[in-house]
Amino acid sequence: MTERVKYLLSDDRIPKAWYNIVADLPAPPPPALHPATGKPLVADDLAPLFPQAVIAQEMSTERWIEIPDPVREIYKLWRPSPLIRARQLERALDTPARIFFKYEGVSPAGSHKPNTSVAQAFYNKEEGIRRLTTETGAGQWGSSLAFAGSLFGIEVEIYMVKVSYQQKPYRRALMETYGARCIPSPSPLTQSGRSILAKFPDSTGSLGIAISEAVEMAAQRDDTNYALGSVLNHVLLHQTVIGEEAMLQMADAGAEPDVVIGCAGGGSNFAGIAFPYLREKLAGRSNARVVAVEPVSCPTMTQGRYAYDYGDTGHLTPLVKMHTLGSSFVPPGFHAGGLRYHGMAPMVSHVLELGLVEPKAVVQTECFAAAVQFARSEGIVPAPESSHAVRAAVDEALRCKAEGKAETILFCLSGHGHFDMQAYTDYFGGKLKDVPFDRAALERALADLPKVG
Amino acid sequence: MTERVKYLLSDDRIPKAWYNIVADLPAPPPPALHPATGKPLVADDLAPLFPQAVIAQEMSTERWIEIPDPVREIYKLWRPSPLIRARQLERALDTPARIFFKYEGVSPAGSHKPNTSVAQAFYNKEEGIRRLTTETGAGQWGSSLAFAGSLFGIEVEIYMVKVSYQQKPYRRALMETYGARCIPSPSPLTQSGRSILAKFPDSTGSLGIAISEAVEMAAQRDDTNYALGSVLNHVLLHQTVIGEEAMLQMADAGAEPDVVIGCAGGGSNFAGIAFPYLREKLAGRSNARVVAVEPVSCPTMTQGRYAYDYGDTGHLTPLVKMHTLGSSFVPPGFHAGGLRYHGMAPMVSHVLELGLVEPKAVVQTECFAAAVQFARSEGIVPAPESSHAVRAAVDEALRCKAEGKAETILFCLSGHGHFDMQAYTDYFGGKLKDVPFDRAALERALADLPKVG
């Protein structure tokens, strides 16, 4: 009974500032470019979509950005999130490694996403915005923005990737419970949606398409802005509360991580746990390996090209330099919907290029195997996205066992799988296939990359 | 930013003992009776179904019963659960009342049920049991026992009320993720199930029927015991960690409740929050009103008779004195599956008779209205069962507003509704009906009460 399992922090230890990694990098990331002119983006270019405060954060080079009091007040509903020592999993694996996980599934929407949705809703409300549009894949981002909208009295309109809309009716019910409107994408409501449906009437959608629809709707209306749940600098910034808290909690546990792991779709929960540790690494205060985990079926970091590309399929967004499979690449309909994005956050791509991060790709069925083992030992059923981090953590723990090393592993469990139980049913029913990566589709999509930069 | 929202406790403040209210009551509850002889039950009568340690607890008159270290070790995965000040809800209601809730949805299965499932699995494992059978309504108990079984290496076989099995496929997936076997009840596997199916081939089941099936299966096999998720004294005992923790946390908040509220189906989460406060009340240290909330459609406390009755439909269980609608009463198929039991825990019935508790019945649609308001302010989507406590807490807060009183309200939010989103979809779609209580059915069922006591 002497050993602690949970490391909790009281409300007053919620970080007072977000951490902006760009202040500490040896080189800044390449600038985003205007899609029409090809020139570096300026703040005005983003004004139709985002509030000024968010645009300033997107372009900021300040190391610390203060978290507004009303945002910290709402963070208190679930933050600081717990850091948990996975003792039961360690025993099940019979590993000498110590495994810690930072659990973001305690948030209202069940994932890390409210860390940024609440901040974005706050800044939009401050600047008089009445409505936000967005896209969602697995539904984690949509429900997070719906929740934030309900608190600030902002209408929320969500374009949900059609395959997820069909597979996850309960995520949709959650968004509606928070008062949001949910639309399957591609939809006939937008020019972007109509043009996809004309070409591919049976399209099951993609994040890229849904982004185009949400951006198009926001750009048309003065009282409406757009909110993005990952990829952009300000989103990654808001997620750094994860790593900052984890660092306080690891200190309480008297532990230093040898490996820090996050799953990466757009890159935001990964950045959240990793960027504060990269700061320590760059300052020579940490030797931790930092690992970003992606699916073999949508391998932006391990198979993509580092190049300028559009963030969406309809080519309405700025051009950003990132690891990309090409904006026309549509990954197979596997269950980790949140990892089906064709690109990777430019800032995550940049730290990958700087050699600060190890990318790793894992297959879906092995992720579920690890997730089931995790559930049966720690009780928490991981989201399919988060199961990628679980897989990598288990692999590290098994390596430690083989090598007889008592390393300390820290991973971000970005969310629970309560709204993804169909995926588990499919897994147990032997219905999940590990679709081989379609290299020909990749080559075709890469051939379409814009000729810039 | 000065006010705290969450009151957390570290692992070492998990209570070291469960509280047994019988030690402090002015009179003991009437004894359970053997169904064949009508004589007071002795320990040996329960031996085919329960381990000795559990039987001893069932009959104990000791005030405090030590929580074994391995149980406290597993409690650490989620306990102490948070006490949360519902500031956003207070603002939304514009009430002078302070509202606190003890949130049991942080457990692996998403409800208070693992407080007892872990204890029961531990004692069964200690006594060499290999398999546990049980019933489940909404699925919260089944998934809790499945989780506990996975930790102790015990097989778990769950008879799930058919209407819930059909309405809640994801609860079933959760049980299977924890490694349990789930069977829709009534089933053709047992004599009890077959006899119901012969009479009512389209039966949607009830907790009473599912209990008969699980008990029958356990009684037939030496290596198999039965585990009950509510109603019995030992189950209520294990749940008192809720109230004991809440008391420590309310002290940290510098608050004393004027009203303590819990929803009551079998009575276990209600007893968990209420019994420790009843101790304080009996000792003259608290003036709190204690309120038990039930559905108008299954109103055991407000419409039932206080009489000896069977715990199940098949009449395999002992006779217990409780508030009952009659064991042949089948409530309509509303969504709070966990509140569809025909009886109330004998110990809860007893404190009701002693006048220590106020019963209250509420209608389903008003519970969902309160639950949606709660979700939109506090972020947490309540389980349909828990929404009954939310409704009562909101009613108290509105009364405080009308009366201009700044009372302190404490309620137990027994679980989240992530596996009950179909109920919310039905609510928004206007498909939920408040079925009037069927008094004729009640009279018929009461006429069947056994002639005892």
Side-chain angles (χ1 to χ4, degrees):
Chain A
M1 287 303 290
T2 48
E3 254 187 313
R4 286 176 66 185
V5 163
K6 285 192 309 303
Y7 295 86
L8 305 172
L9 301 172
S10 58
D11 291 358
D12 57 349
R13 294 181 77 192
I14 292 172
K16 297 203 161 50
W18 293 300
Y19 170 61
N20 186 4
I21 196 173
V22 78
D24 288 316
L25 291 178
L33 305 177
H34 193 287
T37 65
K39 291 198 178 138
L41 215 63
V42 294
D44 276 359
D45 297 329
L46 295 173
L49 296 183
F50 300 106
Q52 292 302 323
V54 160
I55 296 170
Q57 291 177 357
E58 185 63 24
M59 302 188 156
S60 172
T61 55
E62 293 295 313
R63 181 172 289 112
W64 296 103
I65 292 174
E66 194 186 336
I67 305 177
D69 274 358
V71 172
R72 288 187 76 222
E73 193 60 33
I74 292 171
Y75 277 177
K76 287 182 189 174
L77 292 177
W78 74 96
R79 303 212 71 81
S81 66
L83 177 83
I84 299 173
R85 171 93 183 266
R87 292 283 295 155
Q88 310 286 339
L89 178 65
E90 290 170 16
R91 285 193 195 109
L93 296 170
D94 190 25
T95 176
R98 290 192 296 175
I99 307 174
F100 291 87
F101 63 98
K102 177 73 169 163
Y103 184 40
E104 292 293 310
V106 294
S107 85
S111 76
H112 62 294
K113 298 280 186 184
N115 296 334
T116 184
S117 71
V118 168
Q120 293 190 51
F122 167 77
Y123 291 122
N124 276 290
K125 182 72 178 183
E126 286 281 289
E127 298 186 22
I129 288 298
R130 290 191 45 245
R131 191 187 297 107
L132 287 170
T133 65
T134 197
E135 72 290 331
T136 198
Q140 286 174 337
W141 169 241
S143 46
S144 301
L145 193 67
F147 156 67
S150 80
L151 287 177
F152 289 103
I154 295 178
E155 273 180 47
V156 174
E157 190 174 287
I158 300 160
Y159 294 84
M160 186 172 188
V161 176
K162 196 177 280 175
V163 63
S164 294
Y165 186 92
Q166 290 159 346
Q167 280 177 357
K168 305 189 177 187
Y170 293 177
R171 267 285 173 199
R172 179 185 155 201
L174 181 60
M175 293 183 241
E176 290 170 351
T177 298
Y178 290 138
R181 180 173 173 222
C182 198
I183 301 146
S185 165
S187 83
L189 303 182
T190 66
Q191 186 51 47
S192 313
R194 286 190 294 272
S195 78
I196 293 286
L197 289 172
K199 273 187 273 182
F200 311 103
D202 298 328
S203 168
T204 54
S206 73
L207 272 178
I209 296 168
I211 293 173
S212 297
E213 294 204 89
V215 166
E216 184 184 324
M217 277 308 221
Q220 284 171 9
R221 295 179 285 189
D222 280 348
D223 62 353
T224 305
N225 267 347
Y226 166 72
L228 191 66
S230 191
V231 178
L232 294 181
N233 297 342
H234 67 275
V235 181
L236 277 52
L237 175 80
H238 299 155
Q239 293 296 351
T240 57
V241 288
I242 301 173
E244 297 300 336
E245 285 179 8
M247 226 171 257
L248 297 175
Q249 291 163 311
M250 288 295 279
D252 284 352
E256 267 293 328
D258 296 297
V259 197
V260 176
I261 298 168
C263 65
S268 79
N269 97 85
F270 169 75
I273 188 95
F275 283 5
Y277 280 100
L278 290 182
R279 174 185 69 233
E280 299 303 299
K281 215 170 141 149
L282 285 160
R285 292 187 294 263
S286 166
N287 287 317
R289 291 166 48 222
V290 178
V291 180
V293 193
E294 66 182 5
V296 162
S297 321
C298 192
T300 46
M301 297 182 291
T302 53
Q303 303 286 337
R305 186 174 297 169
Y306 186 53
Y308 271 100
D309 195 6
Y310 295 97
D312 68 329
T313 310
H315 297 182
L316 301 176
T317 71
L319 289 159
V320 291
K321 195 154 185 185
M322 61 180 178
H323 290 92
T324 180
L325 302 168
S327 66
S328 60
F329 182 85
V330 178
F334 60 90
H335 276 288
L339 305 184
R340 294 179 76 245
Y341 187 57
H342 70 272
M344 179 51 59
M347 196 67 82
V348 171
S349 297
H350 184 55
V351 297
L352 276 162
E353 285 298 306
L354 291 172
L356 297 170
V357 168
E358 296 174 27
K360 177 185 169 97
V362 291
V363 301
Q364 178 171 235
T365 50
E366 290 182 10
C367 291
F368 275 96
V372 168
Q373 183 168 34
F374 185 83
R376 290 180 185 179
S377 23
E378 297 297 321
I380 300 167
V381 178
E385 294 80 5
S386 318
S387 75
H388 289 68
V390 177
R391 177 74 257 167
V394 167
D395 287 347
E396 293 288 339
L398 294 175
R399 175 188 57 75
C400 288
K401 182 179 178 177
E403 296 176 358
K405 287 187 183 160
E407 291 185 16
T408 298
I409 300 163
L410 168 64
F411 74 94
C412 181
L413 189 70
S414 56
H416 62 63
H418 298 170
F419 296 94
D420 307 284
M421 295 311 295
Q422 187 59 48
Y424 282 86
T425 300
D426 291 351
Y427 171 68
F428 289 121
K431 288 185 192 155
L432 291 192
K433 296 275 182 300
D434 288 319
V435 185
F437 179 61
D438 186 346
R439 184 158 299 279
L442 173 67
E443 294 305 330
R444 283 194 302 277
L446 288 178
D448 286 345
L449 282 178
K451 309 289 176 271
V452 216
Chain B
M1 288 301 288
T2 47
E3 254 186 313
R4 286 176 67 185
V5 163
K6 283 192 310 302
Y7 295 86
L8 306 172
L9 301 172
S10 58
D11 291 357
D12 56 348
R13 294 181 77 193
I14 292 172
K16 296 201 162 52
W18 292 300
Y19 169 61
N20 186 5
I21 195 172
V22 79
D24 289 316
L25 291 179
L33 306 178
H34 192 288
T37 65
K39 291 197 179 141
L41 214 63
V42 293
D44 275 0
D45 297 329
L46 295 172
L49 296 183
F50 300 107
Q52 292 302 323
V54 160
I55 296 170
Q57 291 178 357
E58 184 63 24
M59 302 189 158
S60 173
T61 55
E62 293 294 312
R63 180 171 290 112
W64 297 102
I65 292 175
E66 193 186 338
I67 305 176
D69 274 358
V71 173
R72 289 186 75 222
E73 193 60 35
I74 292 172
Y75 276 177
K76 287 183 188 173
L77 291 177
W78 75 96
R79 303 211 72 82
S81 67
L83 177 84
I84 300 173
R85 169 93 183 265
R87 292 283 294 155
Q88 310 286 338
L89 178 64
E90 291 170 15
R91 285 193 195 107
L93 296 171
D94 189 25
T95 176
R98 292 191 296 174
I99 307 173
F100 292 87
F101 63 98
K102 177 72 170 163
Y103 184 39
E104 291 293 310
V106 294
S107 85
S111 77
H112 63 293
K113 299 281 187 183
N115 297 333
T116 185
S117 71
V118 168
Q120 292 191 50
F122 167 77
Y123 291 121
N124 275 289
K125 183 72 179 183
E126 287 280 291
E127 299 185 22
I129 288 299
R130 289 189 50 244
R131 190 186 298 107
L132 286 171
T133 65
T134 197
E135 71 291 332
T136 198
Q140 287 174 336
W141 169 242
S143 45
S144 300
L145 192 67
F147 156 68
S150 80
L151 288 178
F152 289 102
I154 294 178
E155 274 181 47
V156 175
E157 190 174 289
I158 299 161
Y159 293 84
M160 186 171 187
V161 176
K162 197 178 277 174
V163 63
S164 295
Y165 185 92
Q166 289 159 349
Q167 279 176 358
K168 305 191 177 185
Y170 292 176
R171 268 285 172 197
R172 179 185 156 200
L174 182 60
M175 293 183 240
E176 290 171 350
T177 299
Y178 290 138
R181 181 174 172 222
C182 200
I183 302 145
S185 165
S187 83
L189 303 183
T190 65
Q191 185 52 46
S192 314
R194 286 190 294 272
S195 78
I196 293 285
L197 288 172
K199 274 186 274 183
F200 311 103
D202 297 329
S203 167
T204 53
S206 73
L207 273 178
I209 297 168
I211 292 174
S212 297
E213 294 204 89
V215 166
E216 183 183 325
M217 278 309 222
Q220 284 170 9
R221 294 179 286 189
D222 280 348
D223 62 353
T224 304
N225 268 347
Y226 167 71
L228 191 67
S230 193
V231 179
L232 295 181
N233 297 342
H234 67 275
V235 181
L236 276 53
L237 175 81
H238 299 154
Q239 294 296 350
T240 57
V241 289
I242 300 174
E244 296 301 335
E245 285 179 9
M247 226 171 256
L248 297 175
Q249 291 163 312
M250 289 296 280
D252 285 354
E256 267 293 328
D258 297 297
V259 198
V260 176
I261 298 167
C263 65
S268 79
N269 96 85
F270 169 74
I273 189 94
F275 283 5
Y277 279 100
L278 289 184
R279 175 185 67 233
E280 300 303 300
K281 217 171 139 146
L282 285 161
R285 292 186 295 262
S286 166
N287 287 317
R289 292 167 47 223
V290 177
V291 180
V293 193
E294 66 183 4
V296 163
S297 321
C298 193
T300 46
M301 297 181 291
T302 54
Q303 303 286 339
R305 186 174 298 169
Y306 185 53
Y308 272 99
D309 195 8
Y310 294 98
D312 68 329
T313 309
H315 298 183
L316 301 176
T317 70
L319 288 161
V320 291
K321 194 154 186 185
M322 61 179 177
H323 290 92
T324 180
L325 302 168
S327 66
S328 60
F329 182 85
V330 178
F334 61 90
H335 275 289
L339 305 185
R340 295 180 74 245
Y341 186 57
H342 70 273
M344 179 51 58
M347 195 68 83
V348 171
S349 297
H350 184 54
V351 296
L352 276 162
E353 286 297 306
L354 291 172
L356 297 170
V357 169
E358 297 174 26
K360 178 185 167 95
V362 292
V363 300
Q364 179 171 235
T365 51
E366 290 182 10
C367 291
F368 275 97
V372 168
Q373 183 168 33
F374 185 83
R376 289 180 186 177
S377 25
E378 297 296 321
I380 300 167
V381 179
E385 293 81 5
S386 317
S387 75
H388 290 67
V390 177
R391 176 74 257 168
V394 167
D395 287 346
E396 293 288 339
L398 293 175
R399 174 188 58 74
C400 287
K401 183 179 177 177
E403 297 175 358
K405 287 188 183 159
E407 292 184 16
T408 298
I409 299 162
L410 167 64
F411 74 94
C412 180
L413 190 71
S414 56
H416 62 63
H418 299 170
F419 295 93
D420 307 285
M421 295 311 296
Q422 186 59 48
Y424 282 86
T425 300
D426 291 350
Y427 171 68
F428 289 121
K431 288 184 194 158
L432 292 192
K433 296 276 183 299
D434 289 319
V435 186
F437 178 61
D438 187 346
R439 185 159 298 279
L442 173 66
E443 294 304 330
R444 280 193 304 276
L446 289 178
D448 285 344
L449 282 179
K451 309 288 175 272
V452 216

